[in-house]
Amino acid sequence: MRIGELAERAGTTTRTLRYYESRGLLPARRAVNGYREYDEDDLRLLQQIRTLQDFGFDLEETRPFVECLRAGHPAGDACPASLAVYRRKLGELDSLIEQLRSVRAQVGAELARAELEAAAELPGGPEPRCELGG
């Protein structure tokens, strides 16, 4: 198939495919007439890249998975380098989750404090001015 058909089937643009080609992630095979030619294996490569990017992997992190697919592994993640990227990404995600838990706890504490302060205000007093902007 040609680049336009591959882009359409993969749900991306020809510009993206050319970029992947320039980065060495998508093979650059040319027909006699000079047109780029792709097959179902290339579509599988693109689907793998897009799935990983949807999970938050950057483009370079997809490289071991692409190489694993090219080596003949049907899922692209059975190779040692792919497994290492998975492990590294899980570590990053665990760290982010811990950071978010900490921030959530701080925000929760601030909310509790603010609610207690608001409940302690004397009835009938002046309304506090909480205007944002100008």
Side-chain angles (χ1 to χ4, degrees):
M1 72 186 94
R2 288 194 186 157
I3 193 168
E5 181 183 348
L6 179 63
E8 184 177 325
R9 288 184 62 192
T12 191
T13 64
T14 57
R15 182 177 180 182
T16 297
L17 298 184
R18 287 186 195 99
Y19 178 69
Y20 291 171
E21 181 183 312
S22 74
R23 298 291 306 269
L25 293 169
L26 189 62
R29 292 183 307 275
R30 300 275 182 165
V32 177
N33 61 9
Y35 292 135
R36 290 173 173 88
E37 286 188 336
Y38 301 98
D39 58 23
E40 294 299 318
D41 289 339
D42 298 318
L43 179 59
R44 232 178 34 248
L45 286 175
L46 288 172
Q47 290 167 336
Q48 180 79 22
I49 291 169
R50 293 188 50 108
T51 297
L52 291 167
Q53 288 187 309
D54 288 346
F55 290 162
F57 289 68
D58 66 38
L59 190 58
E60 196 55 37
E61 288 174 317
T62 69
R63 187 173 302 280
F65 298 88
V66 168
E67 291 170 357
C68 193
L69 280 170
R70 285 185 186 154
H73 297 275
D77 60 2
C79 298
S82 302
L83 295 170
V85 172
Y86 271 154
R87 286 185 193 99
R88 190 169 50 249
K89 183 57 77 174
L90 278 176
E92 290 172 13
L93 291 171
D94 288 342
S95 177
L96 287 171
I97 288 168
E98 285 307 311
Q99 290 174 10
L100 288 172
R101 283 187 178 138
S102 174
V103 169
R104 187 189 189 293
Q106 291 172 17
V107 170
E110 289 298 315
L111 173 62
R113 181 203 48 79
E115 287 175 335
L116 285 174
E117 186 177 302
E121 292 290 323
L122 295 175
E127 286 287 321
R129 298 196 69 193
C130 297
E131 296 177 19
L132 295 177

